[in-house]
Amino acid sequence: MKGIEEGTGLMLKEAGNSVSVITDAYTVLNKELTMALYALLPAGCVLADEEALKRASRDETEDLIFLPEVVVRPETVEHVQAVMRFAYTHRIAVTARGAGTGLSGSALPVHGGIVLTTERLNRILDIDLANHQATVEPGVVVESLQNACAEHGLLYPVDPASKGSCTIGGNVAQSSGGPRAVKYGTTRENVINLQVVLANGEMIWTGANVLKYATGYNLTQLMIGSEGTLGVVTKVVVKLRPLPLHTLVLLVPFFEARQACDAVSTLFMAGLNPSCLEFMERDAIDAAIDYTGSKMKIEEGIKAHLLIELDGQEPATLEQEATLFYEVLEAKGYTIGQILLGQTDAQKAELWHLRRQVAYAVKHTSIFKEEDTVVPRAALPDLLVGVKAIGSRYGFRSICYGHAGDGNLHVNILKGDLDEQAWKERIGVGIRELFQLVVSLGGTISGEHGIGLVQRPYLDIALSQTHIGLLKGIKTAFDPTGILNPGKIF
Amino acid sequence: MKGIEEGTGLMLKEAGNSVSVITDAYTVLNKELTMALYALLPAGCVLADEEALKRASRDETEDLIFLPEVVVRPETVEHVQAVMRFAYTHRIAVTARGAGTGLSGSALPVHGGIVLTTERLNRILDIDLANHQATVEPGVVVESLQNACAEHGLLYPVDPASKGSCTIGGNVAQSSGGPRAVKYGTTRENVINLQVVLANGEMIWTGANVLKYATGYNLTQLMIGSEGTLGVVTKVVVKLRPLPLHTLVLLVPFFEARQACDAVSTLFMAGLNPSCLEFMERDAIDAAIDYTGSKMKIEEGIKAHLLIELDGQEPATLEQEATLFYEVLEAKGYTIGQILLGQTDAQKAELWHLRRQVAYAVKHTSIFKEEDTVVPRAALPDLLVGVKAIGSRYGFRSICYGHAGDGNLHVNILKGDLDEQAWKERIGVGIRELFQLVVSLGGTISGEHGIGLVQRPYLDIALSQTHIGLLKGIKTAFDPTGILNPGKIF
C-alpha cells in the first residue's frame, strides 16, 4: 500500500508533456477513506500496490503517465454502484478503464483518485440467436466476442487494430471504429442498449433491446463516445449479423500517393462496397515489414497502397467484384503496380498482419504524436498534400495510414532527429494547423480515438464556444460534481 | 389577423382529448409583439389569418387541435435565428413543424405561441456525388430528395409511409423509420450532420460531414428524435448509397397470424437480408383493399401477410434469394397460402400501394389510438397474442401492422361501436397494459413515431424517474427557459 500511505493524489509525470493538472479539486484518499473503500468490496477488488497503480497509470497514448491513488476492479454492477456512491459522497475522481489501448489519453487518471477497471466484468452474458443480439459486460475483449459469435455463424463487426486486447466497454467509451467500419459502421452503429451506473451510483438502461428507438432523447448514442465522463457502462447490448463466409483481400500499390487517395472515392462512386478500404503510405508498410520481419518485397517507386477487403457468402461473387475493382482502377488510368491478391487464409492473414502492425511499427521508430483526422473521403488527396506541406513547414516527418474508406487518416508526426526544443516549440502549432486544414475540408479532429486528454487543447478548432457550452451543460446534468473522468474532452 | 387580435394564446380543443394545458407560462403575443415579429421578417413570412392558424393547429395524430397565435415561415437560417432571438427575449413558445404528418402530436402547439413551419426552407442545397452525401433544408419532402438522388444513381433510403408529403426535418425530429429501415436504418443511421438554431438564436453545426465522429458528445445523434425540444434544425446532411437497380416483392399469406410473426426471426436466423419485411393482419389488408378499391382477392382463412422486398443489382441474384425465402418458410412447416410475386413495376406498385394505404384505411373506419410498439423481433408472436388478450379484456378491437423486420408493430386500437364513456374509461388503462407488456418483452413504447404529446402519459412505463431526470437535465442545458416545443416528451 505504499502509493496510498504516501496519501498524495500525486500525478507522476515522467515524460515531457505539457498538461496542467489541478491537484486540489478532488478529495485525496487518505487512510481512513481507503479503508472504507476496502470494506465496501470483496477481497481482491481494491488494489493499492505500486504495481497495480503503475499498470493503471498509462494507456497507449504517447508517453504519458498519471498515477491513480487506488485501483478498483468490481465484479458486479452492485460493486460499481457501491464505488460510485462512495466517490460521489466524498467527491473522489473516478476514471473507468478497459484494456488501456486508447490513443487519446482518455483512460489516464489525471486527477488521481480511483481507477475503475472493468477487467473482472468480462462475461458474455447472452448470445441471442433469435434476435441477433448479444449482451456482454464491458470488460469483454472484442475479439473474444467475435469468436463466440462466429461459433454461431454471427458477426460482431467492429475490429480496431487492438481487437485482440481492447474491450467492448473501451470501444463504447471512445466510439471506436476499425477497418470494417466502412461497411458495418463503428461501435456507434452496432450498440443498441447500455446499462450505465451514474455518478451518484444510480443505475439506468439507456434504451431497450430494439433496432429502432424513439422514446425520448437517445441516451445510448449520447453515452457512446462520451469517454467515461457521463457514467460507467456496466452492460452492453450489441447487434449481430450473419457472418460472411468468404473474404478476399487485395493489396493495390500506387506509384503516386495522391492517386491512392483519389481512388477511394472513385471506387465508391462506381458503386462498390468493400468491407475494408485501408490506405498506407510507403513508409508505413516499410515500417511494418521491418517490424514484423515479413519477407514481402515492395516494388521500387511505389508511394502508397490500398488494402481492400471484400466479403460475402459466395467466392464467385467476390471474384466478380474484385474484377470490377480492377476495371474501375484501370479505367481511371491510375499508375499502379502489381496487385497482390490474398485468397488463402495464410495470404490474407499476412496482409492484415502487416496492416495491423503498422501503428506499432511506426511508433516504434520515434517519439510521435498521432492525429486521428477524418474528412469527407473525396477530400483525402487534399488532406494528404496538406499534411506534407505542414510537415515541410515545421520540419516534421509524418507517416499516414488509416481507414480511407471512411475518410479517416491517422497522421503520425514523428520527432525523428528533431531536437527536443524544436519539437516542443513546433508540435502544437503544427497540429493546430493540421486540424484547421481538416476542419476546412469539412472534417473533424477525431474520427475514432476520441478527444481525451491530448486532443483537448485543440477542441476549439472543431467546435464553437457555444457548442462546447452545450457539451458542458450535458456533463453537468449527468455529473454535477464532476467526478467522472475529470480533465477530459473539454 | 382575427386570431391574434383576440390575443389569447387560447388552445382550442375541439375533440375529446384529456391533455392538460398550462396557459399562463408563456407570453401571449399581444398586438405590439405581433407587430414586432412582422417587422423582423419579410412580407409573407408571418401569418396570423385564421386559415393559417388552423392549418398549423393539427397533425395526423388522432383528432387533436391546438391553435397557435401566429405562424412564421422563415426562408433562411437568419430568419430562424431572428425568430428564436425574439421568442427567447419575450419567452414565447415555439413549435417547429414540417408537413404535419406526425402521429404523436409532436408538432401541435399545445402552449399556443409561434408555429415555425419549414415549408419555405425546402431547397436541396447539394448532392455531393464524390462523397455520397446530400445537404438539404429541413422542409424538403423526403420523396423529392429520393427522386433527386435517384437521378444520380444514389439512394436516400428512409421511406415513411408518408414519404410523398413528410419532410426530412420532421423525420429528423421524430427519428422516423419506414419499411426500408430493416436493411438501411432509420433517419438516425442516415444523418451525419445538422445545422441547428438554438433556443437563444445562436447557430451550431452538430458534427462534421464525416462517416465517423469522436469529437465530444454526439449532438447529431442527440438532436435526432428530440422532437424540436432542443433546437430548430435548419440544414441536414445525409448519407447516400448506390441505388439498388432491381427489387422483387413477395406477398406471403399465412393461415395463422402467430406464424407470420414467428417467420420474421426465422428468416433472419437463416441469414436472409430483405430490404423490407412488413407484417399486416388480415383486417389491415382487407381495409386497404376496401379503401383503395383494389381488385386483389385474399384467400379464405388467411389471417396475416408478410410483405417482403429484396433489392440488389442483379435480377438473377434476387430470384435466387426469393427461392431461399420459399425454402426457409417451407422447411419450417408454416401453413401458408399462395405466395404472390411482384416482378413488374405495376405489380410491385400495387402491393406497396396496399401496404402504404393500410394506415389511412384503418383509421378511416373508426376513432382510434395508434401505438408504435417495438420489441426484439423474436418477441413479435408474444406481442401479437398479448395485444389480442388485452383487447378482449377491455372490449377493444385492434388491427396490427408494421415493420416486423425491426420488431416494430403499429397497434391500432379502434373505438368501433364502443360507447364514448367506455372508450374514455378504458383506453388509457388498456394502453398502459399494452406498453407494460412491450417493456416486459424487452421493447419500448415508440420505435419511430416519438413520444410527443400522446405517449407522454406513458413515459414512466419505459423510463425510470432517474432516466427522465437526465432527459430534463439535457433539455435545461439546451433550452433553459423551456420555449422549444413545450409540453412534449416529459
Side-chain angles (χ1 to χ4, degrees), chain B residues 254-449:
Chain B
F254 287 78
F255 285 97
E256 290 184 39
R258 208 179 187 291
Q259 286 190 357
C261 286
D262 187 69
V264 175
S265 53
T266 301
L267 291 167
F268 283 100
M269 285 169 80
L272 298 164
N273 187 21
S275 51
C276 307
L277 180 41
E278 300 283 305
F279 171 85
M280 290 179 278
E281 273 196 294
R282 173 67 186 254
D283 285 353
I285 201 164
D286 279 352
I289 289 171
D290 214 45
Y291 185 70
T292 61
S294 163
K295 303 255 179 297
M296 189 179 288
K297 296 275 170 263
I298 307 293
E299 208 175 326
E300 204 166 331
I302 291 301
K303 292 294 189 336
H305 288 83
L306 291 183
L307 182 70
I308 300 168
E309 186 185 90
L310 313 175
D311 72 1
Q313 306 306 347
E314 299 292 340
T317 315
L318 297 188
E319 281 162 32
Q320 280 168 24
E321 276 181 49
T323 308
L324 265 176
F325 272 84
Y326 299 145
E327 286 172 4
V328 173
L329 294 171
E330 197 169 70
K332 191 78 180 186
Y334 299 124
T335 52
I336 61 178
Q338 183 73 39
I339 297 177
L340 263 181
L341 178 64
Q343 283 178 300
T344 68
D345 285 349
Q347 290 165 339
K348 289 185 282 189
E350 190 188 349
L351 292 173
W352 272 117
H353 183 61
L354 280 179
R355 168 64 190 89
R356 289 192 180 275
Q357 292 300 310
V358 160
Y360 303 101
V362 166
K363 288 161 191 170
H364 182 69
T365 64
S366 164
I367 286 179
F368 67 94
K369 290 265 185 188
E370 175 166 2
E371 305 310 333
D372 174 38
T373 65
V374 60
V375 294
R377 59 190 168 218
L380 279 173
D382 289 347
L383 175 58
L384 189 70
V385 169
V387 165
K388 299 302 170 186
I390 293 167
S392 350
R393 208 140 57 237
Y394 294 101
F396 301 133
R397 200 176 144 230
S398 65
I399 301 186
C400 301
Y401 54 86
H403 315 303
D406 296 319
N408 186 200
L409 194 71
H410 299 318
V411 178
N412 281 261
I413 306 172
L414 304 180
K415 177 168 174 291
D417 299 333
L418 212 63
D419 68 68
E420 198 66 38
Q421 183 69 13
W423 173 251
K424 273 195 181 164
E425 277 171 17
R426 297 182 205 167
I427 185 69
V429 189
I431 292 174
R432 191 156 268 276
E433 213 167 296
L434 168 63
F435 284 155
Q436 279 159 347
L437 170 67
V438 165
V439 170
S440 76
L441 293 171
T444 192
I445 66 174
S446 179
E448 57 173 25
H449 294 172

Side-chain angles (χ1 to χ4, degrees), chain B residues 18-36:
Chain B
S18 61
V19 177
S20 68
V21 169
I22 305 163
T23 48
D24 58 357
Y26 297 91
T27 304
V28 172
L29 278 151
N30 61 21
K31 195 162 182 175
E32 195 186 343
L33 283 173
T34 307
M35 295 319 291

Side-chain angles (χ1 to χ4, degrees), chain A residues 78-211:
Chain A
E78 290 78 16
H79 292 173
V80 177
Q81 291 187 279
V83 171
M84 288 315 304
R85 274 193 300 265
F86 174 83
Y88 188 74
T89 304
H90 300 289
R91 195 160 192 248
I92 296 165
V94 178
T95 302
R97 176 185 177 87
T101 57
L103 297 165
S104 65
S106 189
L108 298 174
V110 298
H111 289 274
I114 297 170
V115 160
L116 187 159
T117 151
T118 59
E119 64 194 68
R120 289 185 167 186
L121 291 165
N122 63 352
R123 283 155 290 209
I124 296 175
L125 300 172
D126 183 38
I127 296 182
D128 179 348
L129 303 181
N131 287 305
H132 285 189
Q133 296 173 4
T135 303
V136 303
E137 292 184 323
V140 168
V141 168
V142 171
E143 198 168 43
S144 312
L145 174 60
Q146 288 171 340
N147 293 341
C149 293
E151 281 178 27
H152 300 284
L154 293 171
L155 172 71
Y156 175 70
V158 184
D159 61 342
S162 56
K163 66 179 179 178
S165 51
C166 69
T167 65
I168 187 85
N171 281 199
V172 168
Q174 306 307 114
S175 187
S176 303
R180 272 196 298 235
V182 68
K183 183 167 181 178
Y184 299 108
T186 65
T187 305
R188 182 172 299 291
E189 288 80 19
N190 289 281
V191 167
I192 57 173
N193 199 5
L194 295 169
Q195 187 190 60
V196 175
V197 173
L198 302 172
N200 64 2
E202 289 188 84
M203 185 273 280
I204 62 164
W205 282 93
T206 55
N209 292 1
V210 290
L211 296 170

Side-chain angles (χ1 to χ4, degrees), chain A residues 13-63:
Chain A
K13 298 203 304 167
E14 284 181 356
N17 70 70
S18 61
V19 178
S20 67
V21 170
I22 304 163
T23 48
D24 57 357
Y26 297 91
T27 304
V28 172
L29 278 153
N30 60 22
K31 196 161 181 177
E32 194 187 343
L33 283 173
T34 308
M35 295 319 291
L37 186 55
Y38 271 97
L40 277 179
L41 300 184
C45 288
V46 181
L47 302 174
D49 59 282
E50 200 174 325
E51 201 196 308
L53 299 184
K54 279 210 159 170
R55 248 192 340 259
S57 72
R58 54 185 309 165
D59 60 7
E60 293 186 8
T61 312
E62 304 163 19
D63 50 1

Side-chain angles (χ1 to χ4, degrees), chain A residues 131 202 212 214 217 229 378 446 466, chain B residues 131 202 214 217 229 378 446 466:
Chain A
N131 287 305
E202 289 188 84
K212 59 209 296 193
Y217 310 148
T229 64
S446 179
T466 300
Chain B
N131 287 304
E202 288 186 85
Y217 309 149
T229 65
S446 179
T466 301

